[in-house]
Amino acid sequence: MMQVSEVARRFGAIEQAIGQAAKMCGSAQAMPMDLKDCMDQLEQQKSAVRRAIDTHDDARIRQAVDQLESLGDRAKRACGAATQLTPEMKQAVLKVHDELSDLKHQLH
């Protein structure tokens, strides 16, 4: 398991990436509902990961990151099916997915 301080540092960057992707996607004219829902849930669930990090409970951290990574997978699939998104929006969503996936794999 990674040190909690390293998880917290990495997750800080992920929080910023989620915020940036949500902001970019939120300004889109024709946002697919599934992607909008995923981004909203990512925004809401990131606080659960932060709370888990604050507890220093490895199992709780892994579970919270796993749930967030599942949302990242959903967002990636929704992004792939969305034809109206700009390349920058797709890149922002894929960055969130890739960062979450990498963190998940390092935690397991």
Side-chain angles (χ1 to χ4, degrees):
M1 175 78 183
M2 295 171 64
Q3 293 291 321
V4 173
S5 60
E6 177 65 11
V7 174
R9 186 190 65 74
R10 294 271 315 274
F11 191 67
I14 292 170
E15 285 176 311
Q16 288 182 331
I18 290 170
Q20 182 179 10
K23 184 176 179 181
M24 290 178 80
C25 292
S27 65
Q29 295 285 330
M31 174 73 122
M33 278 310 291
D34 191 35
L35 183 54
K36 181 180 180 337
D37 183 51
C38 288
M39 295 312 299
D40 289 345
Q41 288 185 40
L42 280 165
E43 278 283 0
Q44 292 170 3
Q45 293 296 319
K46 69 183 182 184
S47 62
V49 176
R50 182 57 61 194
R51 286 191 305 272
I53 290 169
D54 291 344
T55 68
H56 293 257
D57 180 339
D58 292 347
R60 190 170 162 196
I61 293 169
R62 276 194 301 274
Q63 180 183 20
V65 168
D66 289 356
Q67 289 173 343
L68 207 59
E69 195 264 346
S70 292
L71 286 171
D73 284 345
R74 256 186 64 205
K76 179 182 177 182
R77 284 191 302 276
C79 190
T83 57
Q84 312 91 333
L85 297 180
T86 66
E88 293 81 14
M89 289 177 189
K90 288 184 179 187
Q91 183 178 359
V93 172
L94 294 178
K95 179 181 178 177
V96 169
H97 169 268
D98 293 347
E99 293 286 333
L100 284 167
S101 182
D102 186 50
L103 181 58
K104 176 185 172 181
H105 286 91
Q106 287 190 354
L107 290 174
H108 287 276

